[in-house]
């Protein structure tokens, strides 16, 4: 009977150990499945990380290339701006010279018109044009060769060209010539 009790006790221990072993086997399978799942997730995350790092490296290269291009464009824009400002200064200087020349030409034209109007009034009033020798001013004006244009080519008569009037009875008012 003792042997039966001992055998029953051993069987109970064996059953408990078997149950414990089965529970541990279940836990082991569960942990292995969790480990496999985590390993798979880790691989997926590693691939995602690798793809993002590649994308980041590509983006950094693109940023560097664009930054370099922006620097080149800024240098080009600065050079163009300086060139344009020089050109504007040149054009402003040229415009100022042209304005001065226009003012001089308008002054000469006005003087010529006044002289012409005076001569026309004198002729209409019956007085002949005063006979006088060339004055110092007229001689100096003709010595400057006013018939040449700014470009040095003969271009006709300039605003200070000397007019010659017909002599004596052949004088007519300029409007009937």
């Amino acid at each position: 009977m003792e042997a039966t009790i001992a055998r029953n006790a051993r069987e109970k221990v064996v059953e408990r150990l078997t149950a414990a072993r089965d529970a541990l086997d279940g836990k082991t399978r569960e942990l292995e499945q969790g480990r496999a799942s985590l390993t798979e997730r880790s691989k997926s995350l590693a691939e995602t990380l690798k793809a993002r790092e590649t994308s980041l490296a590509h983006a950094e290269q693109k940023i560097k290339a664009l930054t370099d291009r922006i620097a080149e464009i800024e240098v080009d824009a600065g050079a163009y701006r300086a060139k344009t400002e020089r050109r504007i200064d040149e054009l402003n200087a040229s415009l100022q010279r042209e304005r001065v020349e226009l003012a001089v030409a308008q002054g000469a034209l006005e003087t010529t018109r006044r002289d012409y109007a005076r001569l026309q009034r004198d002729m209409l009033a019956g007085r002949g044009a005063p006979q006088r020798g060339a004055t110092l001013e007229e001689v100096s004006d003709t010595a400057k060769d006013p018939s040449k244009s700014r470009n040095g080519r003969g271009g006709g008569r300039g605003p200070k060209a000397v007019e010659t009037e017909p002599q004596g009875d052949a004088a007519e008012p300029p409007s009937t010539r």
Side-chain angles (χ1 to χ4, degrees), residues 100-162:
V100 168
E101 289 175 7
L102 176 63
V104 169
Q106 286 176 339
L109 178 62
E110 186 59 33
T111 301
T112 303
R113 284 180 179 160
R114 278 194 305 261
D115 290 346
Y116 184 71
R118 183 183 44 79
L119 288 173
Q120 195 173 25
R121 277 192 311 270
D122 288 348
M123 290 172 67
L124 289 175
R127 295 178 280 175
Q131 296 294 327
R132 59 187 164 121
T135 65
L136 182 60
E137 184 179 355
E138 290 173 338
V139 170
S140 67
D141 284 346
T142 57
K144 292 180 185 175
D145 195 15
S147 65
K148 287 196 175 184
S149 64
R150 260 192 327 148
N151 62 9
R153 291 185 243 152
R157 301 161 70 135
K160 295 182 181 178
V162 177

Side-chain angles (χ1 to χ4, degrees), residues 41-102:
R41 186 164 180 229
S42 175
K43 286 180 183 178
S44 173
L45 289 174
E47 289 174 2
T48 303
L49 177 64
K50 193 173 190 178
R52 286 186 180 176
E53 285 176 346
T54 303
S55 177
L56 178 63
H58 179 69
E60 287 174 347
Q61 288 174 349
K62 192 170 187 176
I63 288 170
K64 185 182 181 315
L66 291 174
T67 303
D68 292 344
R69 181 67 181 132
I70 288 171
E72 290 174 9
I73 289 172
E74 286 175 347
V75 168
D76 291 346
Y80 182 76
R81 185 179 304 117
K83 181 179 176 184
T84 303
E85 287 173 358
R86 279 193 308 270
R87 180 69 177 139
I88 288 170
D89 291 342
E90 290 171 3
L91 289 173
N92 283 335
S94 176
L95 179 62
Q96 186 62 31
R97 282 190 305 273
E98 293 292 329
R99 285 178 179 164
V100 168
E101 289 175 7
L102 176 63

Side-chain angles (χ1 to χ4, degrees), residues 153-169:
R153 291 185 243 152
R157 301 161 70 135
K160 295 182 181 178
V162 177
E163 294 282 337
T164 56
E165 294 292 326
Q167 298 290 326
D169 293 332

